[in-house]
Amino acid sequence: MTASLKSIEGTGDISSVMREIGLRARAASRVLAVAPADRKNRALAGMATAVREQASAILSANAEDVAEAKGAGVTGASLDRLALDATRVEAIAAGIEAVGALKDPVGVVTESWTRPNGMRIERVRVPLGVIGIIYESRPNVTADAAVLCLKAGTAAILRGGSDSMRTSRAILAALASGLETAGLPAAAIQLVPTRDRAAVGLMLQGLDGNIDVIVPRGGKSLVARVQAEAKVPVFAHLEGVCHVFVHRSASLDMAKKIVLNAKMRRTGVCGAAETLLVDRGGETTNLKPLVEMLLAAGCEVRGDAATQAIDKRVKAATEEDWGTEYLDAIIAVKVVDDIAAAIAHIERYGSHHTDAIVADDDVAAAKFLTEVDSAIVLHNASTQFADGGEFGFGAEIGIATGRLHARGPVGVDQLTTFKYRIHGNGQTRP
């Protein structure tokens, strides 16, 4: 294993280092803002190639990060989020290519109209400027965030997880090769070179006005800190308390397939189902098979009285369980009177992230999709589709649950803002 990262990060005043990073990012953002689409795509193609060519170096760095994490006692879902293998590295490269294939959002006219005085007004997409991304564990976010920002003509300042620093550096080396190939500034993508948490505080202050938006991607404590302290706009979700509601009209086979995938495909992702709600009208046919399926899959079930009566292995759910993001093989199960009760439960305990209904009744499905106030709502599909790649965005920086600017997966289009262009022929205002 290489030397401790803290010993090789260099010395110097963190404030000065971060200030320089901000200044370089702002300068790079002005170049990116006017870079033609083919030049950005050339950089992205070079990045994908470099990731594949440098896969062994990326995996070697990741092995050191994983070994250090294991030594620190990290296990389970947290370790899974950190670890890479050949398949996941190839997915990073493929994700970069997918972003390259997307339509360039910069310069797209989203609306235009002509006023009675002959002036023509256009609303056009423009880059956000500089985005600071603060994330934990997942080293693939280094690539996902960087390439989405590049495609959107926006500079990125990345503060990766302390436990994935070596991996992020190795990935950044590949991304830098792509920038160099296209003649774009290296400062378009910068990785904060320290584990010191003071760097996060400086980013939240905006680096003297050089960060335009902050995107946190990590656990509840990280996101809560960002939302509480940030002096610049934030795209984020605090928790993914996601629900699957099995309506009385649901096909049991479909319900079993969706519930199992929503909970157990990957338990540590924000789109994993944390609560299963079963319509009382379908309780006699649906509850027992669903609970037994989850238990057989190794999932701990915490349920209400009706659910506990199904199987002695079901533990009693507490009030806290209904609002808990487990990120583990644990699920809370409750029988609700009807769809209105399901919607009310989701409104009270959910996090406005992702919620699904399984139903053959299209009227019930339409009611759920209309009335559940979440960033993503699904009918007859797993909550694990809460992912920018699955939406066709190529990748995502994160999921936003706020109501301003971005909501749901934050992809290329959400990393732009707009301005108005007005074309006249000598008009003056009377």
Side-chain angles (χ1 to χ4, degrees):
M1 186 176 290
T2 59
S4 167
L5 280 173
K6 288 196 173 184
S7 70
I8 63 174
E9 287 172 358
T11 58
D13 178 61
I14 291 177
S15 296
S16 297
V17 171
M18 294 301 295
R19 189 177 302 112
E20 285 302 313
I21 287 174
L23 290 170
R24 289 195 297 268
R26 180 61 70 193
S29 73
R30 291 193 287 270
V31 176
L32 293 180
V34 296
D38 61 350
R39 193 173 177 191
K40 291 184 287 186
N41 289 340
R42 194 159 64 248
L44 292 167
M47 290 174 179
T49 297
V51 165
R52 292 189 174 105
E53 290 176 346
Q54 298 175 33
S56 60
I58 293 170
L59 289 172
S60 178
N62 184 249
E64 294 192 16
D65 282 336
V66 169
E68 184 174 82
K70 286 181 177 178
V74 176
T75 60
S78 296
L79 198 62
D80 178 63
R81 287 193 291 270
L82 173 62
L84 294 179
D85 55 21
T87 299
R88 289 185 178 183
V89 172
E90 172 56 30
I92 290 172
I96 295 172
E97 290 175 331
V99 171
L102 296 174
K103 181 180 179 181
D104 194 303
V106 179
V108 171
V109 176
T110 60
E111 192 173 0
S112 64
W113 62 96
T114 301
R115 298 291 296 148
N117 64 3
M119 287 195 316
R120 183 162 54 90
I121 302 175
E122 300 172 328
R123 183 184 294 124
V124 59
R125 289 190 181 277
V126 296
L128 279 172
V130 177
I131 297 181
I133 302 101
I134 303 169
Y135 53 102
E136 297 174 335
S137 296
R138 298 180 188 274
N140 62 291
V141 176
T142 301
D144 290 350
V147 301
L148 285 169
C149 288
L150 176 63
K151 184 76 175 189
T154 295
I157 299 174
L158 310 174
R159 202 287 185 175
S162 298
D163 53 356
S164 61
M165 185 73 80
R166 295 178 183 85
T167 312
S168 292
R169 283 176 168 165
I171 292 172
L172 182 65
L175 303 183
S177 295
L179 291 171
E180 183 178 3
T181 296
L184 290 173
I189 304 169
Q190 297 180 83
L191 186 67
V192 173
T194 178
R195 286 175 165 173
D196 196 313
R197 291 177 179 266
V200 173
L202 292 166
M203 290 179 69
L204 298 182
Q205 296 300 310
L207 298 184
D208 297 329
N210 286 310
I211 290 181
D212 297 294
V213 175
I214 288 284
V215 180
R217 185 165 175 175
K220 182 176 180 178
S221 60
L222 168 66
V223 178
R225 179 190 176 189
V226 170
Q227 292 179 329
E229 298 181 17
K231 302 300 183 183
V232 294
V234 175
F235 297 164
H237 73 271
L238 189 60
E239 294 177 287
V241 183
C242 305
H243 300 74
V244 177
F245 170 52
V246 178
H247 186 257
R248 63 189 65 188
S249 69
S251 158
L252 177 58
D253 287 342
M254 180 186 290
K256 290 172 71 175
K257 181 180 177 181
I258 289 173
V259 170
L260 185 63
N261 182 268
K263 177 68 258 185
M264 298 300 288
R265 173 187 166 269
R266 289 189 72 182
T267 60
V269 298
C270 63
E274 306 292 16
T275 298
L276 168 63
L277 301 175
V278 177
D279 192 336
R280 195 174 303 279
E283 177 185 356
T284 56
T285 56
N286 295 336
L287 182 61
K288 182 178 177 65
L290 290 170
V291 169
E292 290 182 340
M293 174 196 68
L294 288 164
L295 289 167
C299 183
E300 177 183 319
V301 177
R302 301 178 184 179
D304 62 356
T307 307
Q308 291 177 72
I310 291 297
D311 194 296
K312 64 182 180 181
R313 292 171 293 175
V314 176
K315 298 180 179 180
T318 66
E319 179 69 13
E320 183 181 3
D321 282 312
W322 305 124
T324 296
E325 182 184 34
Y326 299 110
L327 298 176
D328 201 351
I330 305 170
I331 193 168
V333 181
K334 184 177 184 179
V335 176
V336 293
D337 287 338
D338 51 26
I339 189 171
I343 294 170
H345 179 99
I346 292 169
E347 176 63 25
R348 178 175 178 181
Y349 297 104
S351 60
H352 306 287
H353 190 292
T354 301
D355 299 292
I357 181 174
V358 184
D360 287 343
D361 184 332
D362 288 339
V363 174
K367 178 179 179 66
F368 186 93
L369 297 179
T370 299
E371 296 184 22
V372 172
D373 182 25
S374 295
I376 304 168
V377 286
L378 307 99
H379 174 208
N380 289 346
S382 169
T383 58
Q384 298 247 350
F385 283 106
D387 177 87
E390 296 297 328
F391 275 48
F393 293 176
E396 67 174 39
I397 281 187
I399 304 287
T401 55
R403 289 176 172 80
L404 299 179
H405 187 80
R407 201 174 193 205
V410 179
V412 169
D413 287 349
Q414 291 73 35
L415 295 179
T416 61
T417 183
F418 62 86
K419 68 180 179 183
Y420 292 100
R421 294 192 306 215
I422 301 177
H423 304 272
N425 55 8
Q427 288 90 340
T428 60
R429 185 171 178 175

